[in-house]
Amino acid sequence: FFSMPIFQPYRDDYALIDCIYTQTATSKLYDEVVNKIIQHNVKILVIETNVDGGLKTIIEEKLKQKGFHNGIVIIEKYSTMVKMTRIELERGNMIDRIYYPDQTMFPINSDMGKFMNTFTLYKIDGSNEHDDANDSVAMLTMEIVGGKAKPQKAKAIKRPF
């Protein structure tokens, strides 16, 4: 699944307000992603770069074409952590720091309906058909709630030999 949950600050935590959750190819979702960014005035977007290496550039170009200049920060993160590990490590924050909509608020076939259904059916034992909803929430809690969302930079080091 392509999973793009959208959160807004709520008190000292975050609330899930919208999402894109579909099995459509990323290349067919560029306009939808840009429209959601504009609709919700997204300020920080964290992209897992192993999804699509050029997604950040495409989104920036499309936002510029639409005249959207809100100072959005788009951070690419290359994940070296196994999804299941990230979800397990972030489970406490996913429960304690995020407000979720009631599942009955959305049709089951809507993106939010599918997202919440997949999210709530996740099993810790790893026997999940899909884990993208849970992984994207774990990414939020790790990067935004945990404060790790900083652009990655190459750092020169001394030659070890």
Side-chain angles (χ1 to χ4, degrees), residues 14 16 60 64 72 74 102 114 119 121 129-130 145-146:
Y14 291 86
L16 175 63
E60 287 173 335
K64 191 175 186 180
I72 185 172
I74 302 176
D102 188 295
K114 289 184 282 187
F119 184 81
L121 292 176
E129 185 176 353
H130 302 291
V145 175

Side-chain angles (χ1 to χ4, degrees), residues 125-158:
D125 69 9
S127 62
N128 301 289
E129 185 176 353
H130 302 291
D131 59 4
D132 299 305
N134 300 75
D135 186 43
S136 58
V137 176
M139 178 76 77
L140 166 90
T141 59
M142 182 174 274
E143 299 298 331
I144 305 296
V145 175
K148 294 181 182 176
K150 307 246 186 297
Q152 295 174 334
K153 295 180 183 177
K155 182 179 175 183
I157 62 169
K158 282 188 172 183

Side-chain angles (χ1 to χ4, degrees), residues 2 10 18-19 39 46 48 65 68 70 73 87 93 99 101 110 115 117 131 135 148 152 159:
F2 178 94
Y10 179 71
D18 200 356
C19 72
Q39 176 187 353
V46 179
E48 191 172 14
Q65 288 169 2
F68 187 71
N70 79 334
V73 175
I87 294 166
N93 280 330
Y99 291 87
S110 68
F115 184 94
N117 187 55
D131 59 4
D135 186 43
K148 294 181 182 176
Q152 295 174 334
R159 292 178 81 175

Side-chain angles (χ1 to χ4, degrees), residues 32-50:
E32 188 174 353
V33 168
V34 167
N35 290 339
K36 291 286 187 186
I37 290 169
I38 293 169
Q39 176 187 353
H40 296 292
N41 197 26
V42 172
K43 301 288 186 199
I44 300 172
L45 179 66
V46 179
I47 299 172
E48 191 172 14
T49 58
N50 57 352

Side-chain angles (χ1 to χ4, degrees), residues 80-91:
T80 56
M81 189 179 295
V82 176
K83 286 182 185 185
M84 199 165 94
T85 303
R86 178 171 40 230
I87 294 166
E88 181 59 28
L89 285 172
E90 292 300 318
R91 186 169 55 156

